[in-house]
Amino acid sequence: MAETTTQTVLVGKTTQELETFAESLGEPRYRGRQLAHWIYRKGVLTFDAMTDLPKALRQRLGEIALINPLQVVDVKVASDGTTKYLAQLPDGETVEFVFIPHSDWETICVSTQAGCPIGCRFCASGESFARNLMAGEIVGQVLLARRRETPNIVFMGMGEPLLNFDNLVKALRLLNKEVGIGARRMTVSTVGIVQGIRKLAQLGMQVNLAVSLHAPDDELRRRLIPAKLPPIKELLQACWEYFQATKRRISFEYVLLKGVNDRPEHAVELARLLRDFPCHVNLIPYNPTVAEFERPSEAEVEQFRRLLTQQGIAATVRHERGTEVQGACGQLRRHLRWEISDLDAAPTAAEGR
Ligand code: SF4
């Protein structure tokens, strides 16, 4: 396991903080602006490539500073180009993120926590929680995965972003101001942390909000998401306030689990709940990762979608990309953890004899 680094990590610092860092090295402040430009705008991840910095400074930086705190340890590419990364952090924790290509844009799905404390019953990430990610560890994922200067960013990987609020906000601001990604190109996904939604609304950023609902009533929702969450009514009130503050339509995410929440009566109840709400429903047929749950048939999925649209609710079926590279959140990390614990548990050569 890697040691916690004693080097100064640069990704995660604002231009102003990099100016202060440069000053602390006895350099002029504009060196900090140069560093920010190379790291955030040009995406350069080695000091050697920063050709307008004096060679001696580049050498010194190589000794005392680390550009990106993430080190990629595994990459899996699906036939559709979806690329899943697993990276190790300086303290040995691991985090995963996904690059998703489209014909004329790209999306990067980032994690905000190592593991997740929410524990959704159908999710591989919900099995363990290690810690919150620092802002630089969130932004670092984007810098490693992007192919274009300004991709779309969805905070939908491992973890509940609104439970890591300060680092989330710092990451949003860094991506917006330093990397140059418009707020409207970023989507924060939450399981329904009402206080966090209200705080996010007050930021004055037009970030999109996606809310994982997964059930049309509180009882079923509690069965699927055991974490203590406020009732749906309160959640919808916070979503309404978010819409009023940002004028961004809310997305509701609904994972369809065969025989659990995908029945026609669930669709009817969901439509009743969201009637007149400025929203869009994304239906996600379950990609089986937990033995207890199954994916509904295409016909069942289509029937659910049709029932919603017939009642005036905009709904689309979102097929998970890159399932052959373990595209569901948390899966790649879980496999790595197994490999590590397998090694830990394996008998030594002497014991095995
Ligand atoms: S689905 Fe999201 S909120 Fe639920 S356990 Fe998985 S990562 Fe956490």
mmCIF file of all heavy atoms in Angstrom, residues 131-163:
data_model
loop_
_atom_site.group_PDB
_atom_site.id
_atom_site.type_symbol
_atom_site.label_atom_id
_atom_site.label_comp_id
_atom_site.label_asym_id
_atom_site.label_seq_id
_atom_site.Cartn_x
_atom_site.Cartn_y
_atom_site.Cartn_z
ATOM 1 N N ARG A 131 -13.455 6.811 2.605
ATOM 2 C CA ARG A 131 -13.313 8.219 2.991
ATOM 3 C C ARG A 131 -13.823 9.129 1.880
ATOM 4 O O ARG A 131 -14.055 8.686 0.752
ATOM 5 C CB ARG A 131 -11.859 8.550 3.312
ATOM 6 C CG ARG A 131 -10.910 8.491 2.124
ATOM 7 C CD ARG A 131 -9.553 9.079 2.513
ATOM 8 N NE ARG A 131 -8.548 8.914 1.482
ATOM 9 C CZ ARG A 131 -8.351 9.764 0.478
ATOM 10 N NH1 ARG A 131 -9.122 10.830 0.336
ATOM 11 N NH2 ARG A 131 -7.389 9.546 -0.406
ATOM 12 N N ASN A 132 -13.966 10.409 2.234
ATOM 13 C CA ASN A 132 -14.285 11.424 1.230
ATOM 14 C C ASN A 132 -13.072 11.673 0.348
ATOM 15 O O ASN A 132 -11.930 11.568 0.815
ATOM 16 C CB ASN A 132 -14.628 12.755 1.911
ATOM 17 C CG ASN A 132 -16.011 12.729 2.523
ATOM 18 O OD1 ASN A 132 -16.890 12.001 2.066
ATOM 19 N ND2 ASN A 132 -16.213 13.529 3.554
ATOM 20 N N LEU A 133 -13.315 12.038 -0.905
ATOM 21 C CA LEU A 133 -12.208 12.444 -1.771
ATOM 22 C C LEU A 133 -11.978 13.942 -1.620
ATOM 23 O O LEU A 133 -12.927 14.710 -1.425
ATOM 24 C CB LEU A 133 -12.526 12.132 -3.236
ATOM 25 C CG LEU A 133 -12.746 10.663 -3.598
ATOM 26 C CD1 LEU A 133 -12.886 10.518 -5.109
ATOM 27 C CD2 LEU A 133 -11.611 9.781 -3.095
ATOM 28 N N MET A 134 -10.720 14.345 -1.718
ATOM 29 C CA MET A 134 -10.377 15.764 -1.733
ATOM 30 C C MET A 134 -10.780 16.335 -3.100
ATOM 31 O O MET A 134 -10.889 15.587 -4.080
ATOM 32 C CB MET A 134 -8.867 15.959 -1.543
ATOM 33 C CG MET A 134 -8.289 15.283 -0.321
ATOM 34 S SD MET A 134 -8.935 15.995 1.186
ATOM 35 C CE MET A 134 -8.096 17.580 1.163
ATOM 36 N N ALA A 135 -10.921 17.664 -3.155
ATOM 37 C CA ALA A 135 -11.312 18.292 -4.432
ATOM 38 C C ALA A 135 -10.335 17.913 -5.551
ATOM 39 O O ALA A 135 -10.742 17.609 -6.676
ATOM 40 C CB ALA A 135 -11.378 19.802 -4.269
ATOM 41 N N GLY A 136 -9.044 17.905 -5.238
ATOM 42 C CA GLY A 136 -8.036 17.580 -6.257
ATOM 43 C C GLY A 136 -8.154 16.142 -6.736
ATOM 44 O O GLY A 136 -7.819 15.825 -7.875
ATOM 45 N N GLU A 137 -8.624 15.268 -5.846
ATOM 46 C CA GLU A 137 -8.786 13.863 -6.238
ATOM 47 C C GLU A 137 -10.011 13.694 -7.144
ATOM 48 O O GLU A 137 -10.103 12.727 -7.887
ATOM 49 C CB GLU A 137 -8.911 12.995 -4.981
ATOM 50 C CG GLU A 137 -7.616 12.961 -4.175
ATOM 51 C CD GLU A 137 -7.765 12.354 -2.787
ATOM 52 O OE1 GLU A 137 -8.901 12.283 -2.272
ATOM 53 O OE2 GLU A 137 -6.745 11.973 -2.198
ATOM 54 N N ILE A 138 -10.949 14.620 -7.051
ATOM 55 C CA ILE A 138 -12.115 14.588 -7.953
ATOM 56 C C ILE A 138 -11.720 15.189 -9.306
ATOM 57 O O ILE A 138 -11.931 14.590 -10.360
ATOM 58 C CB ILE A 138 -13.302 15.363 -7.326
ATOM 59 C CG1 ILE A 138 -13.701 14.731 -5.979
ATOM 60 C CG2 ILE A 138 -14.487 15.393 -8.285
ATOM 61 C CD1 ILE A 138 -14.705 15.541 -5.170
ATOM 62 N N VAL A 139 -11.097 16.370 -9.260
ATOM 63 C CA VAL A 139 -10.691 17.036 -10.512
ATOM 64 C C VAL A 139 -9.649 16.187 -11.251
ATOM 65 O O VAL A 139 -9.647 16.108 -12.483
ATOM 66 C CB VAL A 139 -10.138 18.448 -10.207
ATOM 67 C CG1 VAL A 139 -9.585 19.110 -11.465
ATOM 68 C CG2 VAL A 139 -11.232 19.312 -9.594
ATOM 69 N N GLY A 140 -8.788 15.518 -10.489
ATOM 70 C CA GLY A 140 -7.742 14.679 -11.083
ATOM 71 C C GLY A 140 -8.322 13.603 -11.994
ATOM 72 O O GLY A 140 -7.707 13.212 -12.989
ATOM 73 N N GLN A 141 -9.514 13.112 -11.666
ATOM 74 C CA GLN A 141 -10.162 12.089 -12.514
ATOM 75 C C GLN A 141 -10.475 12.677 -13.891
ATOM 76 O O GLN A 141 -10.256 12.040 -14.923
ATOM 77 C CB GLN A 141 -11.459 11.613 -11.849
ATOM 78 C CG GLN A 141 -11.255 10.946 -10.492
ATOM 79 C CD GLN A 141 -12.570 10.737 -9.755
ATOM 80 O OE1 GLN A 141 -13.524 10.209 -10.309
ATOM 81 N NE2 GLN A 141 -12.626 11.150 -8.500
ATOM 82 N N VAL A 142 -10.986 13.905 -13.889
ATOM 83 C CA VAL A 142 -11.339 14.555 -15.166
ATOM 84 C C VAL A 142 -10.080 14.765 -16.004
ATOM 85 O O VAL A 142 -10.058 14.493 -17.206
ATOM 86 C CB VAL A 142 -12.043 15.908 -14.900
ATOM 87 C CG1 VAL A 142 -12.302 16.649 -16.206
ATOM 88 C CG2 VAL A 142 -13.347 15.685 -14.133
ATOM 89 N N LEU A 143 -9.013 15.232 -15.357
ATOM 90 C CA LEU A 143 -7.788 15.531 -16.106
ATOM 91 C C LEU A 143 -7.192 14.271 -16.725
ATOM 92 O O LEU A 143 -6.592 14.321 -17.794
ATOM 93 C CB LEU A 143 -6.766 16.223 -15.195
ATOM 94 C CG LEU A 143 -7.218 17.566 -14.604
ATOM 95 C CD1 LEU A 143 -6.111 18.182 -13.756
ATOM 96 C CD2 LEU A 143 -7.647 18.550 -15.692
ATOM 97 N N LEU A 144 -7.379 13.134 -16.060
ATOM 98 C CA LEU A 144 -6.827 11.888 -16.604
ATOM 99 C C LEU A 144 -7.697 11.302 -17.714
ATOM 100 O O LEU A 144 -7.197 10.676 -18.638
ATOM 101 C CB LEU A 144 -6.681 10.845 -15.484
ATOM 102 C CG LEU A 144 -5.510 11.069 -14.525
ATOM 103 C CD1 LEU A 144 -5.618 10.142 -13.329
ATOM 104 C CD2 LEU A 144 -4.179 10.854 -15.237
ATOM 105 N N ALA A 145 -9.007 11.507 -17.620
ATOM 106 C CA ALA A 145 -9.906 10.811 -18.554
ATOM 107 C C ALA A 145 -10.277 11.626 -19.782
ATOM 108 O O ALA A 145 -10.634 11.059 -20.807
ATOM 109 C CB ALA A 145 -11.183 10.395 -17.816
ATOM 110 N N ARG A 146 -10.208 12.948 -19.702
ATOM 111 C CA ARG A 146 -10.769 13.741 -20.809
ATOM 112 C C ARG A 146 -9.937 13.617 -22.081
ATOM 113 O O ARG A 146 -8.720 13.492 -22.038
ATOM 114 C CB ARG A 146 -10.901 15.215 -20.401
ATOM 115 C CG ARG A 146 -9.583 15.937 -20.334
ATOM 116 C CD ARG A 146 -9.763 17.418 -20.102
ATOM 117 N NE ARG A 146 -8.479 18.020 -19.801
ATOM 118 C CZ ARG A 146 -8.300 19.302 -19.564
ATOM 119 N NH1 ARG A 146 -9.325 20.128 -19.565
ATOM 120 N NH2 ARG A 146 -7.105 19.780 -19.304
ATOM 121 N N ARG A 147 -10.663 13.662 -23.213
ATOM 122 C CA ARG A 147 -9.994 13.730 -24.513
ATOM 123 C C ARG A 147 -10.179 15.131 -25.083
ATOM 124 O O ARG A 147 -9.355 15.624 -25.801
ATOM 125 C CB ARG A 147 -10.598 12.732 -25.509
ATOM 126 C CG ARG A 147 -10.887 11.352 -24.950
ATOM 127 C CD ARG A 147 -9.615 10.502 -24.803
ATOM 128 N NE ARG A 147 -9.916 9.082 -24.792
ATOM 129 C CZ ARG A 147 -10.174 8.370 -23.719
ATOM 130 N NH1 ARG A 147 -10.178 8.942 -22.525
ATOM 131 N NH2 ARG A 147 -10.438 7.072 -23.803
ATOM 132 N N ARG A 148 -11.338 15.734 -24.766
ATOM 133 C CA ARG A 148 -11.615 17.095 -25.225
ATOM 134 C C ARG A 148 -11.352 18.053 -24.075
ATOM 135 O O ARG A 148 -11.355 17.649 -22.914
ATOM 136 C CB ARG A 148 -13.091 17.242 -25.627
ATOM 137 C CG ARG A 148 -13.458 16.445 -26.854
ATOM 138 C CD ARG A 148 -14.967 16.422 -27.009
ATOM 139 N NE ARG A 148 -15.332 15.400 -27.979
ATOM 140 C CZ ARG A 148 -15.926 15.658 -29.132
ATOM 141 N NH1 ARG A 148 -16.245 16.881 -29.451
ATOM 142 N NH2 ARG A 148 -16.204 14.687 -29.966
ATOM 143 N N GLU A 149 -11.221 19.340 -24.451
ATOM 144 C CA GLU A 149 -10.926 20.335 -23.428
ATOM 145 C C GLU A 149 -12.048 20.439 -22.396
ATOM 146 O O GLU A 149 -11.811 20.530 -21.202
ATOM 147 C CB GLU A 149 -10.730 21.687 -24.112
ATOM 148 C CG GLU A 149 -9.627 22.513 -23.499
ATOM 149 C CD GLU A 149 -9.355 23.729 -24.347
ATOM 150 O OE1 GLU A 149 -8.935 23.563 -25.509
ATOM 151 O OE2 GLU A 149 -9.605 24.825 -23.850
ATOM 152 N N THR A 150 -13.304 20.444 -22.891
ATOM 153 C CA THR A 150 -14.415 20.669 -21.962
ATOM 154 C C THR A 150 -15.480 19.573 -22.099
ATOM 155 O O THR A 150 -16.485 19.740 -22.781
ATOM 156 C CB THR A 150 -15.074 22.048 -22.206
ATOM 157 O OG1 THR A 150 -15.474 22.118 -23.574
ATOM 158 C CG2 THR A 150 -14.131 23.173 -21.885
ATOM 159 N N PRO A 151 -15.266 18.454 -21.441
ATOM 160 C CA PRO A 151 -16.261 17.368 -21.482
ATOM 161 C C PRO A 151 -17.458 17.681 -20.584
ATOM 162 O O PRO A 151 -17.419 18.623 -19.789
ATOM 163 C CB PRO A 151 -15.479 16.183 -20.909
ATOM 164 C CG PRO A 151 -14.454 16.810 -20.014
ATOM 165 C CD PRO A 151 -14.108 18.135 -20.613
ATOM 166 N N ASN A 152 -18.519 16.891 -20.730
ATOM 167 C CA ASN A 152 -19.596 16.933 -19.734
ATOM 168 C C ASN A 152 -19.138 16.123 -18.530
ATOM 169 O O ASN A 152 -18.491 15.082 -18.692
ATOM 170 C CB ASN A 152 -20.870 16.293 -20.288
ATOM 171 C CG ASN A 152 -21.475 17.116 -21.401
ATOM 172 O OD1 ASN A 152 -21.164 18.295 -21.544
ATOM 173 N ND2 ASN A 152 -22.331 16.508 -22.187
ATOM 174 N N ILE A 153 -19.500 16.589 -17.358
ATOM 175 C CA ILE A 153 -19.090 15.869 -16.145
ATOM 176 C C ILE A 153 -20.339 15.446 -15.381
ATOM 177 O O ILE A 153 -21.223 16.279 -15.122
ATOM 178 C CB ILE A 153 -18.246 16.771 -15.209
ATOM 179 C CG1 ILE A 153 -17.096 17.444 -15.966
ATOM 180 C CG2 ILE A 153 -17.725 15.968 -14.016
ATOM 181 C CD1 ILE A 153 -16.057 16.521 -16.501
ATOM 182 N N VAL A 154 -20.418 14.182 -15.027
ATOM 183 C CA VAL A 154 -21.506 13.737 -14.151
ATOM 184 C C VAL A 154 -20.892 13.183 -12.863
ATOM 185 O O VAL A 154 -19.990 12.358 -12.905
ATOM 186 C CB VAL A 154 -22.430 12.691 -14.834
ATOM 187 C CG1 VAL A 154 -23.213 13.331 -15.975
ATOM 188 C CG2 VAL A 154 -21.668 11.493 -15.357
ATOM 189 N N PHE A 155 -21.381 13.693 -11.752
ATOM 190 C CA PHE A 155 -20.903 13.227 -10.449
ATOM 191 C C PHE A 155 -21.797 12.057 -10.050
ATOM 192 O O PHE A 155 -22.681 12.169 -9.218
ATOM 193 C CB PHE A 155 -20.971 14.362 -9.423
ATOM 194 C CG PHE A 155 -20.011 15.477 -9.708
ATOM 195 C CD1 PHE A 155 -20.281 16.419 -10.689
ATOM 196 C CD2 PHE A 155 -18.826 15.593 -9.000
ATOM 197 C CE1 PHE A 155 -19.388 17.442 -10.970
ATOM 198 C CE2 PHE A 155 -17.925 16.617 -9.263
ATOM 199 C CZ PHE A 155 -18.208 17.536 -10.253
ATOM 200 N N MET A 156 -21.571 10.930 -10.729
ATOM 201 C CA MET A 156 -22.444 9.764 -10.565
ATOM 202 C C MET A 156 -21.652 8.495 -10.296
ATOM 203 O O MET A 156 -22.190 7.399 -10.392
ATOM 204 C CB MET A 156 -23.262 9.529 -11.838
ATOM 205 C CG MET A 156 -24.374 10.502 -12.059
ATOM 206 S SD MET A 156 -25.372 10.014 -13.475
ATOM 207 C CE MET A 156 -26.514 11.386 -13.541
ATOM 208 N N GLY A 157 -20.374 8.628 -10.035
ATOM 209 C CA GLY A 157 -19.570 7.441 -9.751
ATOM 210 C C GLY A 157 -19.779 6.999 -8.309
ATOM 211 O O GLY A 157 -20.858 7.186 -7.743
ATOM 212 N N MET A 158 -18.732 6.466 -7.715
ATOM 213 C CA MET A 158 -18.865 6.008 -6.331
ATOM 214 C C MET A 158 -19.101 7.182 -5.397
ATOM 215 O O MET A 158 -18.479 8.229 -5.530
ATOM 216 C CB MET A 158 -17.559 5.337 -5.895
ATOM 217 C CG MET A 158 -17.380 3.942 -6.399
ATOM 218 S SD MET A 158 -15.966 3.204 -5.570
ATOM 219 C CE MET A 158 -14.676 4.303 -6.032
ATOM 220 N N GLY A 159 -19.980 6.954 -4.428
ATOM 221 C CA GLY A 159 -20.141 7.935 -3.362
ATOM 222 C C GLY A 159 -21.350 8.830 -3.534
ATOM 223 O O GLY A 159 -21.952 8.906 -4.601
ATOM 224 N N GLU A 160 -21.708 9.491 -2.443
ATOM 225 C CA GLU A 160 -22.811 10.451 -2.440
ATOM 226 C C GLU A 160 -22.184 11.851 -2.403
ATOM 227 O O GLU A 160 -21.659 12.289 -1.364
ATOM 228 C CB GLU A 160 -23.701 10.197 -1.211
ATOM 229 C CG GLU A 160 -24.661 11.309 -0.855
ATOM 230 C CD GLU A 160 -25.531 11.800 -2.010
ATOM 231 O OE1 GLU A 160 -26.262 10.997 -2.594
ATOM 232 O OE2 GLU A 160 -25.464 13.008 -2.318
ATOM 233 N N PRO A 161 -22.233 12.571 -3.534
ATOM 234 C CA PRO A 161 -21.532 13.859 -3.615
ATOM 235 C C PRO A 161 -21.917 14.845 -2.511
ATOM 236 O O PRO A 161 -21.065 15.555 -1.983
ATOM 237 C CB PRO A 161 -21.951 14.402 -4.991
ATOM 238 C CG PRO A 161 -22.372 13.210 -5.774
ATOM 239 C CD PRO A 161 -22.904 12.215 -4.793
ATOM 240 N N LEU A 162 -23.203 14.881 -2.161
ATOM 241 C CA LEU A 162 -23.638 15.910 -1.206
ATOM 242 C C LEU A 162 -23.238 15.582 0.234
ATOM 243 O O LEU A 162 -23.395 16.417 1.121
ATOM 244 C CB LEU A 162 -25.148 16.136 -1.322
ATOM 245 C CG LEU A 162 -25.607 16.690 -2.679
ATOM 246 C CD1 LEU A 162 -27.103 16.916 -2.700
ATOM 247 C CD2 LEU A 162 -24.876 17.982 -3.035
ATOM 248 N N LEU A 163 -22.701 14.385 0.463
ATOM 249 C CA LEU A 163 -22.136 14.089 1.786
ATOM 250 C C LEU A 163 -20.655 14.481 1.836
ATOM 251 O O LEU A 163 -19.998 14.297 2.849
ATOM 252 C CB LEU A 163 -22.298 12.598 2.124
ATOM 253 C CG LEU A 163 -23.727 12.138 2.430
ATOM 254 C CD1 LEU A 163 -23.737 10.659 2.796
ATOM 255 C CD2 LEU A 163 -24.359 12.967 3.543
#
